[in-house]
Each structure stands twice: as C-alpha cells, then as structure tokens.
Amino acid sequence: MKSPSGTIFVAGHRGMVGSAVLRRLEGEEVDVLTASRDKLDLAVPAQVQNFFENNSIDSVVFAAAKVGGIGANNNYPVEFLSDNVLMAVNAIKAAYANGVKRFLFLGSTCIYPRDCQQPIREESLLTGALEKTNEAYALAKIAGLKLCEYYRRQYGAMFHSAMPTNLYGPGDNYHPENSHVLPALIARFHEAKTTDAEQVQIWGTGSPRREFLHVDDLADALVHLIGIDDPPDWVNVGTGVDLSILELAQLVAKTVGYQGNIVTAPDRPDGTPVKCCDVSRIHNLGWKHAIDLSDGLANTYESFLRETDAQLLRSV
C-alpha cells in the first residue's frame, strides 16, 4: 500500500465523515482541498465542472451526501434520491473530464437487499428487493457506485467505492427526528438523564440487529483504500460485529449514565431485520477496525458534551 500523495479533494468536509477524513490526513504529505457549499454546490453541474477545471486535483474522497435516519428517509424520498444522484453524477463526470486519477465514492451498506444472506457480502448487490424505508437513498448510492464501476470498465479510470456500515462519532447529526439511530439514542438518553425522566422510548421492537463503525476507523480505511493500486470496484467497511437495537440502547444508557427504564414502540418501523457486513474482503486488503463500540461510544458522548457546551451540536 502506498501513502496518499498529491492534492486530495475531500467533498463534504463539514460532515461527520468528511471531517474525520481531514483529521486522518493531518500529518500526511498531501495537499487537502475543500469547498463549502456557498462556494460549490455539487448539485449544480456548471459549478462542479468549473471547480474541477480550476483546481489541479489528483484524488477525490467523495463524502458529500444528504443523509438521515428512518424517519427522514421515509419522509423525504424525493430529496434523498435526486440530491444524492445529482451530486454523485456531477462530481464523477467532472472528475473524469478533468483528469482526476483516483475517485473514491462513499456509499452505504443500505445498498444491499433487505433480506440478503448475513453477513452481507459484496456480491449480494442487486440480488433482491431493497428495504423500503431507505430505498431512495440506496438507489442513489447504487447509481454512484455503478457509475464509478462503469467509468473504470469503459475508460480505465481508477474510480471505486467503499460501503460503510452504520457510522457514529464526533460531528454527528443529533436532530430529534431525522438523525440516525445511535446519535438519536445519545441525545434522548442525555436528555432523560438531565431531566430525571423515568423512561426512554426507542423506535420499533428493539430486535433488529445493527453493526456500528466509528467514523475515525472509516477515515483510516478510506486512506488505506486510496493507497491500493488495484482495489475492488466496491468493498464493505465495517467491524463484522452486530448487536440488537435494544442492546445498543442499554449500552448508550450505561455510557450516558441513565438509570431509568427503556421501553420499545412496536408501532414504529424497525427497518431491515439484520444488517451486518462480511468484512473479509477489506481484511484481505490489510485493514481492520481499531475502535470497539464501548470505547467509541465513550469518545462520542464526550464529543457530544463538548459540542453542546460550545453550541456547535449539529441538529439540522
């Protein structure tokens, strides 16, 4: 594996993943390029083309995306599909047109069929129906993954993809309705602790099983992947270890210091019953995660408290 070099454009640098990539690249002998949305709207083709024309870019880590939990995906499928497709297509097309040597596209393991065999292997893509609650987002990510694959096949461009499992860590979004499950639980249990609430309700039955990866581990995996000469078209990035949502809630409660009751809401959607990655492919490429969930949750809760005190907590 080679060390990263040249100029790397990190798209979506203000998000949880993008900011983790910036942290990981500190100390590397690279020039890091970023652009805020007021300077570059990735959904506008002309702006994206001009940006790539006016900057000498060797590699792209594409972490820009419209993201959210079950509620947001259910309520805003038009935006989750159209915004994410537009950003991906514009960036991939402009990158190739302007001689970018490496493009690493970030997807999600929600691209895989709802009921595919567990743990999820990369070969499961497009072998069955998607989970309806995040179908729009999954379709957009499949489109980006496939476009990278096709540019590589048709033109020989080193465009490839990484499919991370459920992420958490510093800089996450804590919106009460639209956030992912883990930050939503942190915020809910923190509030319950500060208000001495007798119980906390979690969505669904608590039985679905999920895998969680600290965002700093993902950033390390991405830097690892851009240093590989001939990576797979797409590769899962995860821990290979899962737990139930109820078990997760109990672990979050312990981390936060909440001692009340946890109740479920079976009338709320569960989503995919089980989602855990087969990570043998990325292990064979020489990378494994380093942060276990207990330590990662403690780190994330500390970040939550700091971001709250500094009035920097994301909740949009």
Side-chain angles (χ1 to χ4, degrees), residues 222-241:
L222 298 180
V223 173
H224 183 87
L225 286 169
I226 62 176
I228 294 174
D229 286 333
D230 188 24
D233 283 322
W234 70 93
V235 60
N236 294 337
V237 184
T239 66
V241 179

Side-chain angles (χ1 to χ4, degrees), residues 129-179:
L130 298 167
E131 162 60 37
K132 287 295 182 182
T133 55
N134 58 21
E135 183 181 73
Y137 181 76
L139 287 170
K141 288 302 179 181
I142 291 170
L145 177 156
K146 282 295 182 181
L147 191 57
C148 285
E149 178 189 358
Y150 297 152
Y151 266 95
R152 187 174 182 179
R153 180 199 302 175
Q154 187 170 337
Y155 299 116
M158 187 48 70
F159 289 11
H160 56 115
S161 303
M163 299 297 120
T165 189
N166 299 288
L167 300 171
Y168 71 100
D172 211 336
N173 182 358
Y174 291 90
H175 189 281
E177 294 294 330
N178 295 337
S179 61

Side-chain angles (χ1 to χ4, degrees), residues 14-71:
R14 288 182 172 173
M16 179 174 67
V17 174
S19 58
V21 173
L22 294 187
R23 288 195 297 273
R24 175 58 183 80
L25 289 173
E26 290 177 359
E28 296 284 353
E29 294 184 1
V30 297
D31 294 320
V32 178
L33 179 64
T34 62
S36 56
R37 188 170 181 177
D38 60 336
K39 303 293 184 183
L40 172 63
D41 187 340
L42 290 164
V44 179
Q47 288 190 27
V48 180
Q49 177 62 25
N50 288 338
F51 179 80
F52 278 89
E53 282 181 358
N54 294 325
N55 292 280
S56 179
I57 299 171
D58 298 293
S59 303
V60 175
V61 176
F62 193 79
K66 181 177 180 63
V67 298
I70 288 178

Side-chain angles (χ1 to χ4, degrees), residues 42-242:
L42 290 164
V44 179
Q47 288 190 27
V48 180
Q49 177 62 25
N50 288 338
F51 179 80
F52 278 89
E53 282 181 358
N54 294 325
N55 292 280
S56 179
I57 299 171
D58 298 293
S59 303
V60 175
V61 176
F62 193 79
K66 181 177 180 63
V67 298
I70 288 178
N73 276 272
N74 256 334
N75 294 333
Y76 309 108
V78 170
E79 290 79 7
F80 273 84
L81 177 57
S82 60
D83 289 1
N84 284 304
V85 166
L86 281 170
M87 290 190 291
V89 171
N90 291 340
I92 293 167
K93 183 177 179 180
Y96 176 73
N98 291 279
V100 170
K101 300 180 183 70
R102 170 86 61 156
F103 193 107
L104 179 52
F105 177 74
L106 265 290
S108 164
T109 51
C110 74
I111 65 168
Y112 295 112
R114 181 183 191 276
D115 298 316
C116 68
Q117 185 175 352
Q118 300 290 322
I120 303 169
R121 301 175 66 220
E122 286 86 353
E123 293 83 359
S124 296
L125 182 64
L126 299 178
T127 60
L130 298 167
E131 162 60 37
K132 287 295 182 182
T133 55
N134 58 21
E135 183 181 73
Y137 181 76
L139 287 170
K141 288 302 179 181
I142 291 170
L145 177 156
K146 282 295 182 181
L147 191 57
C148 285
E149 178 189 358
Y150 297 152
Y151 266 95
R152 187 174 182 179
R153 180 199 302 175
Q154 187 170 337
Y155 299 116
M158 187 48 70
F159 289 11
H160 56 115
S161 303
M163 299 297 120
T165 189
N166 299 288
L167 300 171
Y168 71 100
D172 211 336
N173 182 358
Y174 291 90
H175 189 281
E177 294 294 330
N178 295 337
S179 61
H180 288 109
V181 59
L182 204 154
L185 289 175
I186 289 175
R188 205 170 302 165
F189 281 110
H190 175 76
E191 182 181 7
K193 175 187 175 182
T194 57
T195 60
D196 292 322
E198 293 184 1
Q199 67 179 35
V200 170
Q201 184 183 75
I202 61 174
W203 274 30
T205 63
S207 62
R209 301 186 67 82
R210 294 290 183 270
E211 171 189 18
F212 295 91
L213 179 72
H214 195 282
V215 70
D216 286 340
D217 270 336
L218 173 61
D220 188 61
L222 298 180
V223 173
H224 183 87
L225 286 169
I226 62 176
I228 294 174
D229 286 333
D230 188 24
D233 283 322
W234 70 93
V235 60
N236 294 337
V237 184
T239 66
V241 179
D242 66 357

